[in-house]
Amino acid sequence: MATIPTLGAELTAGRTASRAETRELLGKATYDLLVIGGGILGTAVAWTASQAGLKVAMVDAGDFAGATSSASSKLVHGGLRYLQTGAVKLVAENHKERRALSTDVAPHLVNPLTFFVPVYKGGPHSAPKLGAGVFLYSALSAFRDGMGRVSTAAHAAQQVPALRTEGLRSVAVYGDHQMNDSRVAVMTVRAAVEAGAVVLNHAEVTGLRFTGGRVTGAELKDRLDGTEFGVDARLVLNATGPWVDHLRRMEDAGAAPSIRLSKGAHVVVKRRSPWRAALTIPIDKYRVSFAIPWEDHVLLGTTDEEYTGDPKDVRATEADVDQILGEAAHAIRDEHLDRDLITYTFAGLRVLPGGPGETAAAKRETVVTEGKGGMLSVAGGKWTTYRHIGRTVLEKLAHVPGTSLGEDISPIAPTVPLPGVGAPNAVAHRLLIDREPGSRMEPLVARHLAGHYGTLSFDIARMIDENPELGRPIHEDGPDVWAQVAYAADHEWAYTADDVLRRRTTMTVRGLDTPEVRAEVEAFLAKRGAR
């Protein structure tokens, strides 16, 4: 294991504001909008509202995207299964947003991926039906990812050697995209800050501020050092995901429940052979499970069941793991699903509109409501359409009575790229050739940085040039390097080992989040001093 690098001059310049500086900024002004919650919805609205010229503050009790928003299936997709319900318009809209993300907004973070749908003898779907479905799916994306088609079992087995071939008649083929949700979240927060937003994670709302019966801010407590402070705002947006009703009850103790929760669990396993495509595995006529190559591993899942416990306690149980491995076994050979290959399990909570019925059949829609004290609450949503959701919520903010926010909202550009936008292959090439004499970067590290930071990788490379020790791997079995820890602490609001290991790097996913690594990261962060 590498020795903890010493801190040099590269860690003293260009930092984000300290927590004390940020608390002062939050406490001394009245903001147009206070966003509580830094997940998919909160970051989308903060970014959009800041682009529109509003003075925006955003806080989160944990880390940005620290809960469900970093526990997704890592897909940016149109939703092939939605075609079964006739939601053609929805799929077309999803494709439109997916194209924007993959071509203009975040091509450095959103990557194309081929999907196979295996057709087995006696399975729930026939090859002609699936062939027609994937053709329509690709047509709705204007064939930007190729033409959906039916291919042979032999071709599929060559691309995915782990595929179970007994009884395999053919595969339907289509294109979609995937991303690292944590990295997209951090880059969106950074984009919001560059547009003028003031943000703080690990800042818990302990109460709401009222003026004449209207919510006009919040009381907060810094979870890292206990400092109490407050924020004033013309309008408060509750975007706390699974905790949305908890905050609504702060506004109105008698507020009725507005949501219900569905748990989605996943399992990450080491891969024993190349995976050149993902699998969409039909479980029955309506449900599918995924097997997706991700971060040099394979991501399996997901589940969909009602959850009634405390959101902070959600996790993947042994029963969840059994279910996920069992469903994956429909199409993956047993030796690739050995429990010894598991590196990570996780679970998140989907926020669904309240009401009866099975969670799997509930609509995945975004709902905005106004409370007794004028606080807006937003629930639902997904990564694929998060930009669209931000715009939709902004439109609603403009028409909230008594705030006159609409008068201060300026038009925004239809497409604004996230920081670091650039072609990963070109970035990786430059990282390899634009080096100081006598220095070199491992090709694996260059590709890793390019695919997670885009052109911001050059900032990390400069840190390594100034202090070569930062170029060493955090763990010898992974591509993450110590410069990423320094960069996360300086520019990405990472304050804890979890912030770094789970959401700013890929250490936890790879099963490299050992007690030794965690202690070294904590020591590294502590050396920087209190901020």
PDB file of all heavy atoms in Angstrom, residues 18-30:
ATOM      1  N   SER A  18     -13.996  27.726   1.962  1.00  0.00           N
ATOM      2  CA  SER A  18     -14.014  26.881   3.150  1.00  0.00           C
ATOM      3  C   SER A  18     -15.442  26.798   3.687  1.00  0.00           C
ATOM      4  O   SER A  18     -16.317  27.591   3.319  1.00  0.00           O
ATOM      5  CB  SER A  18     -13.095  27.464   4.228  1.00  0.00           C
ATOM      6  OG  SER A  18     -13.664  28.649   4.770  1.00  0.00           O
ATOM      7  N   ARG A  19     -15.660  25.860   4.581  1.00  0.00           N
ATOM      8  CA  ARG A  19     -16.998  25.719   5.164  1.00  0.00           C
ATOM      9  C   ARG A  19     -17.372  26.981   5.947  1.00  0.00           C
ATOM     10  O   ARG A  19     -18.514  27.439   5.895  1.00  0.00           O
ATOM     11  CB  ARG A  19     -17.048  24.484   6.063  1.00  0.00           C
ATOM     12  CG  ARG A  19     -16.862  23.177   5.307  1.00  0.00           C
ATOM     13  CD  ARG A  19     -17.078  21.968   6.195  1.00  0.00           C
ATOM     14  NE  ARG A  19     -18.467  21.821   6.596  1.00  0.00           N
ATOM     15  CZ  ARG A  19     -19.424  21.283   5.840  1.00  0.00           C
ATOM     16  NH1 ARG A  19     -19.143  20.878   4.603  1.00  0.00           N
ATOM     17  NH2 ARG A  19     -20.648  21.172   6.299  1.00  0.00           N
ATOM     18  N   ALA A  20     -16.407  27.557   6.676  1.00  0.00           N
ATOM     19  CA  ALA A  20     -16.692  28.768   7.445  1.00  0.00           C
ATOM     20  C   ALA A  20     -17.056  29.916   6.510  1.00  0.00           C
ATOM     21  O   ALA A  20     -18.004  30.677   6.769  1.00  0.00           O
ATOM     22  CB  ALA A  20     -15.486  29.142   8.303  1.00  0.00           C
ATOM     23  N   GLU A  21     -16.313  30.033   5.404  1.00  0.00           N
ATOM     24  CA  GLU A  21     -16.613  31.089   4.425  1.00  0.00           C
ATOM     25  C   GLU A  21     -17.991  30.873   3.802  1.00  0.00           C
ATOM     26  O   GLU A  21     -18.753  31.828   3.599  1.00  0.00           O
ATOM     27  CB  GLU A  21     -15.541  31.112   3.343  1.00  0.00           C
ATOM     28  CG  GLU A  21     -14.186  31.579   3.836  1.00  0.00           C
ATOM     29  CD  GLU A  21     -13.068  31.292   2.843  1.00  0.00           C
ATOM     30  OE1 GLU A  21     -13.250  30.386   1.994  1.00  0.00           O
ATOM     31  OE2 GLU A  21     -12.026  31.951   2.943  1.00  0.00           O
ATOM     32  N   THR A  22     -18.310  29.636   3.506  1.00  0.00           N
ATOM     33  CA  THR A  22     -19.606  29.335   2.897  1.00  0.00           C
ATOM     34  C   THR A  22     -20.739  29.616   3.869  1.00  0.00           C
ATOM     35  O   THR A  22     -21.774  30.186   3.491  1.00  0.00           O
ATOM     36  CB  THR A  22     -19.651  27.865   2.442  1.00  0.00           C
ATOM     37  OG1 THR A  22     -18.598  27.628   1.505  1.00  0.00           O
ATOM     38  CG2 THR A  22     -20.984  27.542   1.784  1.00  0.00           C
ATOM     39  N   ARG A  23     -20.578  29.223   5.130  1.00  0.00           N
ATOM     40  CA  ARG A  23     -21.618  29.505   6.123  1.00  0.00           C
ATOM     41  C   ARG A  23     -21.847  31.009   6.249  1.00  0.00           C
ATOM     42  O   ARG A  23     -22.994  31.462   6.391  1.00  0.00           O
ATOM     43  CB  ARG A  23     -21.239  28.912   7.480  1.00  0.00           C
ATOM     44  CG  ARG A  23     -21.264  27.392   7.549  1.00  0.00           C
ATOM     45  CD  ARG A  23     -21.215  26.908   8.997  1.00  0.00           C
ATOM     46  NE  ARG A  23     -20.031  27.385   9.700  1.00  0.00           N
ATOM     47  CZ  ARG A  23     -18.921  26.686   9.875  1.00  0.00           C
ATOM     48  NH1 ARG A  23     -18.821  25.462   9.367  1.00  0.00           N
ATOM     49  NH2 ARG A  23     -17.902  27.190  10.563  1.00  0.00           N
ATOM     50  N   GLU A  24     -20.773  31.777   6.180  1.00  0.00           N
ATOM     51  CA  GLU A  24     -20.918  33.233   6.262  1.00  0.00           C
ATOM     52  C   GLU A  24     -21.696  33.767   5.062  1.00  0.00           C
ATOM     53  O   GLU A  24     -22.572  34.620   5.210  1.00  0.00           O
ATOM     54  CB  GLU A  24     -19.531  33.890   6.333  1.00  0.00           C
ATOM     55  CG  GLU A  24     -19.609  35.405   6.508  1.00  0.00           C
ATOM     56  CD  GLU A  24     -18.241  36.053   6.597  1.00  0.00           C
ATOM     57  OE1 GLU A  24     -17.228  35.332   6.556  1.00  0.00           O
ATOM     58  OE2 GLU A  24     -18.193  37.297   6.698  1.00  0.00           O
ATOM     59  N   LEU A  25     -21.380  33.248   3.876  1.00  0.00           N
ATOM     60  CA  LEU A  25     -22.100  33.667   2.681  1.00  0.00           C
ATOM     61  C   LEU A  25     -23.585  33.322   2.790  1.00  0.00           C
ATOM     62  O   LEU A  25     -24.461  34.110   2.421  1.00  0.00           O
ATOM     63  CB  LEU A  25     -21.508  32.983   1.447  1.00  0.00           C
ATOM     64  CG  LEU A  25     -20.190  33.521   0.901  1.00  0.00           C
ATOM     65  CD1 LEU A  25     -19.665  32.611  -0.194  1.00  0.00           C
ATOM     66  CD2 LEU A  25     -20.383  34.933   0.362  1.00  0.00           C
ATOM     67  N   LEU A  26     -23.866  32.128   3.292  1.00  0.00           N
ATOM     68  CA  LEU A  26     -25.258  31.688   3.403  1.00  0.00           C
ATOM     69  C   LEU A  26     -26.025  32.521   4.430  1.00  0.00           C
ATOM     70  O   LEU A  26     -27.227  32.761   4.276  1.00  0.00           O
ATOM     71  CB  LEU A  26     -25.296  30.209   3.794  1.00  0.00           C
ATOM     72  CG  LEU A  26     -24.835  29.208   2.726  1.00  0.00           C
ATOM     73  CD1 LEU A  26     -24.734  27.807   3.315  1.00  0.00           C
ATOM     74  CD2 LEU A  26     -25.777  29.207   1.527  1.00  0.00           C
ATOM     75  N   GLY A  27     -25.331  32.954   5.471  1.00  0.00           N
ATOM     76  CA  GLY A  27     -26.027  33.620   6.562  1.00  0.00           C
ATOM     77  C   GLY A  27     -26.223  35.114   6.409  1.00  0.00           C
ATOM     78  O   GLY A  27     -27.034  35.702   7.129  1.00  0.00           O
ATOM     79  N   LYS A  28     -25.498  35.734   5.489  1.00  0.00           N
ATOM     80  CA  LYS A  28     -25.540  37.197   5.459  1.00  0.00           C
ATOM     81  C   LYS A  28     -26.386  37.776   4.328  1.00  0.00           C
ATOM     82  O   LYS A  28     -26.456  38.995   4.178  1.00  0.00           O
ATOM     83  CB  LYS A  28     -24.125  37.752   5.358  1.00  0.00           C
ATOM     84  CG  LYS A  28     -23.442  37.554   4.008  1.00  0.00           C
ATOM     85  CD  LYS A  28     -22.040  38.162   4.036  1.00  0.00           C
ATOM     86  CE  LYS A  28     -21.366  38.044   2.677  1.00  0.00           C
ATOM     87  NZ  LYS A  28     -19.999  38.620   2.704  1.00  0.00           N
ATOM     88  N   ALA A  29     -27.031  36.930   3.532  1.00  0.00           N
ATOM     89  CA  ALA A  29     -27.829  37.439   2.415  1.00  0.00           C
ATOM     90  C   ALA A  29     -29.184  36.757   2.397  1.00  0.00           C
ATOM     91  O   ALA A  29     -29.389  35.703   3.009  1.00  0.00           O
ATOM     92  CB  ALA A  29     -27.096  37.198   1.093  1.00  0.00           C
ATOM     93  N   THR A  30     -30.118  37.372   1.690  1.00  0.00           N
ATOM     94  CA  THR A  30     -31.404  36.729   1.421  1.00  0.00           C
ATOM     95  C   THR A  30     -31.358  36.186  -0.008  1.00  0.00           C
ATOM     96  O   THR A  30     -31.142  36.943  -0.964  1.00  0.00           O
ATOM     97  CB  THR A  30     -32.570  37.718   1.559  1.00  0.00           C
ATOM     98  OG1 THR A  30     -32.637  38.172   2.915  1.00  0.00           O
ATOM     99  CG2 THR A  30     -33.891  37.034   1.200  1.00  0.00           C
TER     100      THR A  30
END
